[in-house]
């Protein structure tokens, strides 16, 4: 039995009460689904600024448990509201904080709103968790904190200068978390997500992530655009790996594993050109697909990191993390989901 299997078994035998912020978002709704499947009580908080009500509805439907509705309480609130954060944290044992504006281009266009949501909102949640004696606070950070550091793979103890306001908000979050752990005695764990993808990731809008945007475009017969020369590399991490890390971070009894940050990736990197070919091949394996032709290449985007690769040894050693899904496996699952949910051009 792996440490992850043991953690899931322990939760199933002794349920906890979780708060998931950003519960109507992509990662948040996958966490809600996984927790409900394990028999946990969940409070989901979201203001629907970037999340969708149908994500919560699908999480309930997909968890396969008729009692899940009774174990989920949804709060329509904003983490910028300190009183709402305090109320949501009452009687909570573990906070999984994922509410944020998670877009580099958005932060460049509107740094003030990104800061208020990502920093002020984060501090509101930390304060609320402290005041209500939450046992553990697990939060989403980002590989964006590595900034202009060119070393590969990325090691948690070595970050560069931020390349965007979004990246800076995550650096500040990590510093606040470390401060609260040292001064307030809180059990805090930060998760530096690399390029997460999977079901329910929104393919629409100007700030949509690469994988869902490309899948949607190919399903709709629209052209694909690649920023730069296509040789930019990313460590693509399927969302089920992220779920695993949240559960491990929430349950570890090892004090040495607490009050730290961890890379959350697959531990491998793929160019955008290679990613495009893999998506096309995976789509063709699941449905008829006309030849999309070569992608169009555009200018590099401001604030983008050129190369990214996670060293996941700290997570493996201290938490027992193993990236169970590689890029190919994650794409197969994700494309199956998008094919089932985007018929008719939805």
């Amino acid at each position: 039995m792996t440490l992850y299997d043991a953690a899931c078994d322990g939760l199933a035998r002794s349920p906890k009460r979780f708060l998931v912020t950003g519960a109507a978002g992509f990662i948040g709704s996958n966490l809600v689904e996984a927790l409900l499947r394990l028999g946990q009580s969940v409070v989901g908080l979201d203001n629907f600024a970037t999340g969708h009500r149908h994500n919560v509805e699908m999480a309930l439907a997909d968890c396969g448990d008729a009692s899940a509705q009774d174990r989920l309480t949804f709060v329509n609130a904003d983490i910028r509201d300190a009183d709402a954060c305090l109320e949501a944290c009452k009687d909570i044992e573990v906070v999984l904080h994922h509410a944020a504006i998670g877009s580099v281009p958005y932060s460049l266009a509107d740094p003030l709103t990104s800061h208020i949501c990502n920093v002020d909102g984060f501090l509101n949640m930390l304060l609320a968790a402290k005041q209500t004696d939450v046992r553990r606070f697990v939060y989403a950070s980002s590989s964006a904190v590595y900034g202009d550091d060119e070393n590969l793979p990325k090691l948690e103890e070595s970050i560069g200068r931020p390349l965007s306001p979004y990246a800076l908000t995550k650096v500040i979050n990590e510093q606040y978390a470390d401060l609260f752990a040292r001064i307030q005695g809180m059990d805090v764990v930060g998760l530096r997500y690399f390029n997460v993808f999977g079901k329910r990731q929104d393919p629409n809008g100007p700030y949509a992530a690469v994988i869902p945007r490309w899948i949607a475009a190919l399903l709709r017969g629209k052209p694909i655009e690649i920023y730069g020369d296509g040789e930019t590399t990313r460590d693509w991490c399927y969302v089920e790996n992220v779920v695993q890390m949240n559960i491990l971070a929430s349950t570890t009894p090892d004090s040495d594993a607490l009050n730290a940050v961890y890379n959350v990736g697959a531990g491998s990197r793929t160019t955008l050109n290679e990613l495009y070919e893999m998506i096309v091949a995976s789509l063709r394996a699941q449905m008829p697909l006309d030849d999309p032709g070569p992608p169009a290449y555009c200018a590099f985007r401001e604030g983008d990191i050129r190369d990214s690769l996670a060293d996941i040894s700290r997570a493996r050693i201290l938490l027992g993390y193993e990236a169970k899904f590689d890029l190919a496996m994650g794409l197969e699952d994700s494309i199956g989901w998008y094919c089932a949910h985007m018929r008719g051009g939805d």
Side-chain angles (χ1 to χ4, degrees):
M1 178 182 286
T2 66
L3 286 180
Y4 179 52
D5 292 334
C8 291
D9 183 63
L11 284 175
R13 286 186 287 104
S14 181
K16 300 182 185 299
R17 186 167 172 82
F18 286 80
L19 169 62
V20 179
T21 69
F26 155 50
I27 295 177
S29 67
N30 276 276
L31 291 172
V32 169
E33 177 187 337
L35 292 170
L36 291 175
R37 188 180 294 116
L38 289 170
Q40 309 305 294
S41 294
V42 180
V43 175
L45 184 151
D46 207 298
N47 67 348
F48 300 112
T50 57
H52 303 284
R53 193 175 299 277
H54 60 74
N55 283 341
V56 181
E57 295 168 351
M58 282 190 279
L60 272 170
D62 292 348
C63 75
D65 188 335
S67 71
Q69 182 72 62
D70 297 330
R71 291 183 283 105
L72 175 64
T73 301
F74 189 85
V75 179
N76 186 344
D78 194 315
I79 59 171
R80 291 173 291 185
D81 182 343
D83 290 337
C85 295
L86 187 62
E87 183 65 26
C89 282
K90 289 181 178 178
D91 301 319
I92 294 296
E93 295 174 84
V94 180
V95 170
L96 303 181
H97 178 59
H98 289 73
I101 295 179
S103 168
V104 166
Y106 182 97
S107 75
L108 290 163
D110 188 354
L112 181 58
T113 300
S114 290
H115 181 94
I116 293 171
C117 292
N118 294 5
V119 177
D120 294 358
F122 183 82
L123 183 55
N124 282 339
M125 284 302 308
L126 271 177
L127 288 167
K130 174 59 180 175
Q131 292 173 42
T132 55
D133 295 320
V134 167
R135 291 171 55 185
R136 189 159 301 175
F137 189 96
V138 179
Y139 67 94
S141 185
S142 169
S143 61
V145 302
Y146 290 107
D148 63 0
D149 174 53
E150 296 182 353
N151 294 313
L152 291 178
K154 303 299 184 184
L155 298 170
E156 287 92 343
E157 60 268 22
S158 178
I159 64 174
R161 295 175 301 175
L163 297 177
S164 67
Y166 168 74
L168 180 58
T169 67
K170 293 301 184 179
V171 172
I172 295 171
N173 286 176
E174 291 189 3
Q175 292 174 342
Y176 263 125
D178 177 68
L179 187 68
F180 271 64
R182 288 187 290 110
I183 295 178
Q184 303 290 349
M186 294 178 63
D187 285 349
V188 183
V189 180
L191 304 178
R192 285 181 187 163
Y193 296 149
F194 280 64
N195 289 77
V196 185
F197 70 98
K199 67 181 183 180
R200 303 194 200 108
Q201 192 171 23
D202 194 347
N204 302 309
Y207 305 118
V210 168
I211 288 178
R213 187 173 75 245
W214 285 1
I215 292 172
L218 289 166
L219 288 173
R220 294 163 177 163
K222 295 182 178 180
I224 299 297
E225 292 184 343
I226 294 180
Y227 295 110
D229 58 6
E231 291 305 298
T232 293
T233 64
R234 292 290 181 265
D235 189 331
W236 307 98
C237 182
Y238 186 51
V239 70
E240 287 296 327
N241 295 328
V242 168
V243 169
Q244 179 192 163
M245 271 296 285
N246 274 267
I247 289 176
L248 288 169
S250 298
T251 58
T252 180
D254 185 357
S255 60
D256 290 337
L258 301 176
N259 308 329
V261 291
Y262 296 90
N263 288 335
V264 184
S268 62
R269 61 182 176 137
T270 305
T271 69
L272 294 175
N273 288 324
E274 291 168 336
L275 176 68
Y276 174 72
E277 295 299 330
M278 291 178 71
I279 290 175
V280 170
S282 187
L283 270 170
R284 282 180 170 154
Q286 298 192 42
M287 62 173 291
L289 181 71
D290 294 334
D291 183 4
Y297 292 90
C298 310
F300 285 100
R301 286 196 313 185
E302 185 181 3
D304 274 356
I305 295 171
R306 177 61 165 172
D307 295 296
S308 189
L309 172 64
D311 184 310
I312 56 176
S313 57
R314 177 185 289 184
R316 180 182 295 117
I317 293 168
L318 291 177
L319 292 176
Y321 168 71
E322 295 293 342
K324 297 175 67 175
F325 289 82
D326 62 16
L327 175 57
M329 296 165 63
L331 282 178
E332 182 179 357
D333 280 5
S334 300
I335 286 171
W337 187 88
Y338 283 105
C339 287
H341 289 81
M342 291 189 61
R343 297 299 187 188
D346 292 338

